[in-house]
Amino acid sequence: MEASRRGVCDTIPGARIRRLYSSWVVIGTYCIRLVILVTIIFVGSSQGRELRQAATAASRHERRLEAYTDSSNGAPMHGPAVQSFRVSDGSWVDCIPIEQQIAAHHPALQDHIIRMQESSSTHLNLQQQNADKRSLLHPQRFAREHGGCPEGSIPVQRMSTDSKQLSLRKQQQYYRRHPRHSKHMGNGSAAAANDLGHLYAVVGAPETVGAYAGAGAIFSVNGPVIGDPSYEFSLSQLWIAAGNGNNTNTVEVGWQTYPALHQGDNPLAPHLFVYWTSDDYQGIGCYNLECPGFVQTSNTWVLGGSLAYTTLAEFNYDDEISISVIFDSTIPGWSLFINETNVGYWPSSLYTTLQTSADTVEWGGEIAPSTIPTNTSMGSGAFPSAGFPLAAYQRNVIFYDPALTPMNADLSLLGVTNANCYNVSIQQSGNYANWGSYFFFGGPGGLDSACV
């Protein structure tokens, strides 16, 4: 009996230990479950945030063009502005929903998914190269003063009716009479220039079918004198082209001083422009966003907007822009980068001979005169012999091969209409470090007595 009681008593502490142990197990289990739950919540929230961010990015990258039509006007147009800004140069900029830009009216771009690309590092970084001597301010006043359009919209410069009509006449009549291509260019007297219509100082890489997937350069931005502001213009640009005759297709980018086209916004300033044609300027194609074609993605760059620039009297070499056009097979199309920012692209579907590659790449200056000789200057108005910093230039001139490798361009002279008025000087390598292939170009035109 005593032994039996001792056995029972002896088991009591063990039972307590077991109960205590069980309690700790339960508590430990709950703690583990709590840790797991917190971990799941934390990871889940992180993943959820990442998924939401990815979804937001996906929605940004999957915007589709949607044509806007005003019932009172059947002509292609942009959608209504979500916001408008007055710029100190006198211009108005309307922020248009990116889906409703005028490109949506092109038959080949119906329901087109807009390709939103990031900045490019494939061309020389202008800001880094010149951080020791130039302002990092945006070259356009709109971005300087207002920062840009709201996300999901693009800036479109408002044009007057007169400017639109002038631009249309220029495209449909002047280019039709005087198509721009190196095969049409001459070298010689003002009489030859009078037959030609436009005046050129142009260089290029060798013409080879399908050899080029893009081109680029860093441009000085100058303020040429315009002799007849009611008609004439002066520009600096690059051309990418393929085909010939009426099948000539082009991508063109640069700056242009064209007072008649920019009557309300600093008319004597150079303005950024893009241009394209798929029928040798016979009627298909246009400037900037004036017709369905180019698809803009940047909310800061204004096509047709004025640029900070340098006059010959100022000797200021800080004003430059970097321009690259690169074929992107994922679009597919030709992407435009300005100062390393993707501005937009020309879809391949716009073209017949420039869908995947180019045959020619060219760089230089051009003038549309109303009289011969004209007092309109090219570039800065200085001859190339003036050199840096007086003469206008394009430096770090490159092309992209079919593998998208940037190559220093082996430049050759394609045409100078009248060397007594305007000229070009090619420098494959010279006195300026990191300039690569470059050239000086320009001249005073009829302001020089030798230009006859």
Side-chain angles (χ1 to χ4, degrees):
M1 188 64 152
E2 191 67 28
S4 176
R5 281 198 299 270
R6 279 199 307 270
V8 172
C9 292
D10 288 344
T11 61
I12 292 175
R16 289 177 178 173
I17 292 173
R18 285 194 295 273
R19 285 197 300 270
L20 184 60
Y21 175 78
S22 299
S23 299
W24 281 109
V25 169
V26 171
I27 293 172
T29 302
Y30 281 129
C31 290
I32 292 171
R33 289 177 179 176
L34 182 61
V35 170
I36 293 173
L37 180 61
V38 170
T39 303
I40 290 173
I41 291 172
F42 177 77
V43 174
S45 63
S46 300
Q47 291 178 337
R49 186 164 54 251
E50 292 173 358
L51 288 172
R52 287 192 297 273
Q53 291 173 347
T56 301
S59 66
R60 260 198 326 264
H61 288 261
E62 292 182 2
R63 298 180 185 272
R64 293 178 183 270
L65 292 178
E66 301 173 2
Y68 171 82
T69 302
D70 185 339
S71 58
S72 65
N73 186 349
M77 63 178 63
H78 301 286
V82 297
Q83 195 169 359
S84 297
F85 295 95
R86 177 78 168 180
V87 185
S88 63
D89 62 9
S91 65
W92 278 94
V93 172
D94 295 322
C95 295
I96 305 298
I98 191 171
E99 302 92 342
Q100 295 182 359
Q101 60 184 291
I102 198 170
H105 290 270
H106 196 285
L109 299 178
Q110 294 180 3
D111 205 33
H112 174 79
I113 297 176
I114 301 170
R115 307 297 183 182
M116 304 291 290
Q117 294 139 321
E118 302 301 326
S119 297
S120 170
S121 60
T122 52
H123 193 43
L124 296 169
N125 189 302
L126 181 65
Q127 286 81 5
Q128 289 182 358
Q129 275 200 1
N130 298 283
D132 60 332
K133 70 178 184 65
R134 74 186 301 274
S135 168
L136 297 183
L137 290 174
H138 195 286
Q140 292 190 317
R141 292 188 184 183
F142 167 68
R144 290 186 185 185
E145 296 169 10
H146 302 289
C149 283
E151 184 177 355
S153 63
I154 61 168
V156 177
Q157 187 169 43
R158 192 181 300 176
M159 293 184 66
S160 68
T161 301
D162 290 342
S163 294
K164 289 181 179 178
Q165 291 174 347
L166 176 65
S167 179
L168 187 62
R169 287 199 302 272
K170 177 184 185 299
Q171 295 166 38
Q172 294 184 344
Q173 297 176 10
Y174 203 92
Y175 268 131
R176 189 172 295 174
R177 293 198 305 272
H178 305 293
R180 201 244 80 77
H181 193 264
S182 59
K183 294 179 181 178
H184 301 282
M185 293 170 59
N187 292 274
S189 66
N194 196 30
D195 291 337
L196 179 67
H198 287 200
L199 311 173
Y200 297 99
V202 177
V203 301
E207 181 174 357
T208 307
V209 175
Y212 305 105
I218 295 176
F219 293 58
S220 64
V221 183
N222 307 99
V225 173
I226 305 299
D228 180 3
S230 67
Y231 184 87
E232 297 180 331
F233 70 73
S234 181
L235 61 75
S236 173
Q237 73 167 86
L238 66 82
W239 293 264
I240 297 175
N244 53 67
N246 289 342
N247 289 320
T248 297
N249 291 193
T250 72
V251 163
E252 306 178 29
V253 195
W255 60 257
Q256 175 177 244
T257 300
Y258 192 3
L261 195 62
H262 299 281
Q263 298 174 24
D265 64 293
N266 204 6
L268 296 180
H271 290 69
L272 173 69
F273 80 92
V274 301
Y275 191 92
W276 69 277
T277 181
S278 62
D279 66 348
D280 197 31
Y281 310 97
Q282 298 301 303
I284 301 177
C286 65
Y287 273 124
N288 305 327
L289 301 178
E290 296 175 22
C291 72
F294 184 84
V295 178
Q296 181 158 342
T297 56
S298 169
N299 68 337
T300 59
W301 283 94
V302 182
L303 300 180
S306 64
L307 297 164
Y309 66 102
T310 297
T311 65
L312 183 57
E314 291 172 329
F315 306 149
N316 181 0
Y317 53 88
D318 286 354
D319 295 313
E320 296 181 317
I321 56 172
S322 172
I323 298 176
S324 294
V325 177
I326 310 170
F327 181 74
D328 185 341
S329 60
T330 65
I331 297 175
W334 297 86
S335 291
L336 170 63
F337 296 90
I338 303 179
N339 285 6
E340 311 309 311
T341 296
N342 181 257
V343 177
Y345 56 91
W346 294 265
S348 292
S349 54
L350 300 178
Y351 295 107
T352 57
T353 59
L354 196 58
Q355 291 186 328
T356 58
S357 62
D359 306 338
T360 61
V361 286
E362 304 171 6
W363 302 261
E366 176 183 357
I367 287 174
S370 59
T371 61
I372 297 293
T374 174
N375 288 338
T376 291
S377 61
M378 180 185 292
S380 68
F383 280 112
S385 58
F388 181 80
L390 298 182
Y393 58 85
Q394 292 185 29
R395 65 180 179 90
N396 299 104
V397 179
I398 62 170
F399 67 83
Y400 294 87
D401 67 13
L404 299 182
T405 303
M407 311 286 290
N408 283 329
D410 183 10
L411 299 173
S412 59
L413 178 66
L414 293 184
V416 171
T417 310
N418 186 343
N420 291 324
C421 305
Y422 318 99
N423 211 337
V424 62
S425 175
I426 298 171
Q427 310 286 325
Q428 296 300 131
S429 61
N431 298 325
Y432 309 108
N434 301 319
W435 275 38
S437 294
Y438 65 96
F439 63 93
F440 296 108
F441 72 100
L447 298 175
D448 189 296
S449 59
C451 178
V452 293

